[in-house]
Amino acid sequence: MSRLVIVSNRTPSTGPAAGGLAVALRKTLAERDGFWFGWSGKLSEQPPREARFEEVDGLTVGKIDLTRQDHHAYYAGFSNSILWPAFHLRLDLTTFDGQWYEGYRRVNTRFAEALRPHLKPDDVIWVHDYHLIPLAAELRRLGARNRIGFYLHIPFPVADTLFAIPHHLELMRDLSHYDLVGMQAQRDIVAFNEFADHQAPLSLSGDPLKAVDFSKTIVEAFPIGSDPDAFARLAVSPAANKMVRRMQRAMDEQRLILGVDRLDYSKGLPQRVEAYEKLLANNPQLRRGVHLLQIAPPSRDTIKEYQHHSDQLDAMCGHVMGRFAEPDWQPLTYVKRAYGQPSLAGLYRMARIGLVTPLRDGMNLVAHEYVGSQNPEDPGVLVLSRFAGAAEIFEDALQVNPFDTDETAEAMRMGLSMPLEERRARWEGLMRAARTHSVDNWAARFLDRLGAMAGRARQRNASKGGMPTIARDVLHLGSGTEQPSAPA
Ligand code: ADQ
């Protein structure tokens, strides 16, 4: 079997992996030869050009360090102040700085130069996420002919938003150097095809303009998931029970409405708090009978949009407390810290409503974890944004438009009064879907697909340059800022 090389922004560190994705990828790698490659987490003035390899909990891990300046331009800059907001359709939250793109490319070149000497011709390379879109192109420039797959963990933007991203055409050309590109949802494939079919803003006359040839790249949806049966076990573990007992003492007879998210503007937290406020305002009989627990540890808090969002949420929670709290009852608890998976699983199981209402999300694994953790005899209700990738899988959730806070408030009310029989029927459908789309199945499907492309890799080996060609029918480029690069 070919070796597997996983490449991601960060490499795994010792100790239990924090998320289901890291666990699944570690397991996949442990089952075959290969290594994980990425940034070490260290910044230094003059990082060595070569990667250093270490054993981390039985896995081989190759790491490079970065300069502070490069890391800032690549990570906080181009990746998280341009690509992340734009791919989540939040152009209003982007910051454009011309130097960031150079830093982004430089880091991708550094990754490729440090990785290339360690590749064998038959290695299968699996690159993860928007930080590393140019990596295949950089590796191909250095002569790598391997099968290279890319997985985008976040949504793919609609064409008009993509056109607004600086250097979008170069980024799309970079994508065409992968053999297989995986995305979360059919919605993302539709958006990608919209771009691939036109590649420039539409005009009233003439044929669609095409600057990038995607004919050698397969682009498909591979919806990611969690390990729902592991969450089912975890939710009744002693560690989970400890958290549940603590909560039960505080909650008494109140029913729990639970949100668990990174503190990120894509997760729709202000809208969620507003919807909860409407639930209490419109249904006075529910006051003292429900409690919202929102867990949201800060992330990327050096970026000003994240600080602003955090301040906004603080103010909104304070507002709802001020409006509804009584000396002996508080409507909500807002906790800005991370918890271990057992504690989360216990809370998921206890919650009558799992409130997962991102404004836009690649998949949303919290929805999968909530489903896995439920008590089959007395399951809770998943209130789910229809703009999460998970909405394509979880048809039995109460799906809402998170921008419409009246609708979300009404879904919460319905969930709180839903009869046991309906809750069970819906949960059974959800659990079936969560099992079908488990993270293990996701990794196996992607790697089977990429592995089956051996023929194409040989074809590439046999061909002269091996680079995807640039279509010849380019009349002019939409933005007028970029020229197609010459085929190698
Ligand atoms: P994220 O944006 O991080 O992931 P999500 O899919 O919900 O979003 O995953 C969050 C993970 O972090 C879950 O495993 C959850 O348990 C954990 N987590 C969240 N809050 C936590 C807390 N307070 N304490 C401890 N753990 C917590 C990106 C994309 C998603 C996509 C995933 C995977 O944005 O759309 O689903 O990658 O591809």
Side-chain angles (χ1 to χ4, degrees), residues 50 125 136 190 224 271 312 341 360 385 400 444 483:
E50 295 77 31
I125 305 168
V190 170
I224 203 170
Q271 289 81 355
Q312 185 190 4
Q341 285 195 331
R360 193 165 165 85
S385 161
V400 296
Q483 294 301 316

Side-chain angles (χ1 to χ4, degrees), residues 18-21 84 88 129-130 151-155 184 187 224-226 231 259-264 266-267 295-297 300 335-341 344 348 356 360-369 388-389 442:
L21 171 62
W84 175 275
H88 285 86
D129 233 355
Y130 58 102
Y151 192 78
L152 182 67
H153 288 265
I154 64 177
Q184 298 274 19
R187 152 202 80 182
I224 203 170
S226 71
F231 266 89
V260 175
D261 308 77
R262 271 186 317 101
L263 187 43
D264 190 294
S266 65
K267 304 294 181 184
I295 301 179
R300 303 174 196 164
V335 187
K336 278 176 145 169
R337 53 167 286 197
Y339 286 89
Q341 285 195 331
L344 288 184
Y348 290 142
V356 182
R360 193 165 165 85
D361 217 331
M363 171 54 60
N364 195 296
L365 292 177
V366 169
H368 286 254
E369 295 166 3
W442 164 79

Side-chain angles (χ1 to χ4, degrees), residues 399-459:
Q399 294 201 3
V400 296
N401 169 4
F403 296 94
D404 181 349
T405 52
D406 288 304
E407 188 177 278
T408 307
E410 178 56 13
M412 281 190 264
R413 195 199 59 74
M414 280 171 65
L416 289 166
S417 59
M418 190 180 285
L420 177 61
E421 206 177 326
E422 183 179 349
R423 279 189 280 133
R424 275 195 194 143
R426 284 179 181 270
W427 175 78
E428 279 162 17
L430 293 171
M431 190 64 174
R432 254 195 315 277
R435 284 188 172 125
T436 305
H437 296 284
S438 74
V439 71
D440 286 344
N441 289 349
W442 164 79
R445 264 193 67 217
F446 188 93
L447 288 173
D448 284 353
R449 195 83 169 94
L450 187 56
M453 293 181 164
R456 260 175 56 108
R458 271 200 296 277
Q459 197 183 326

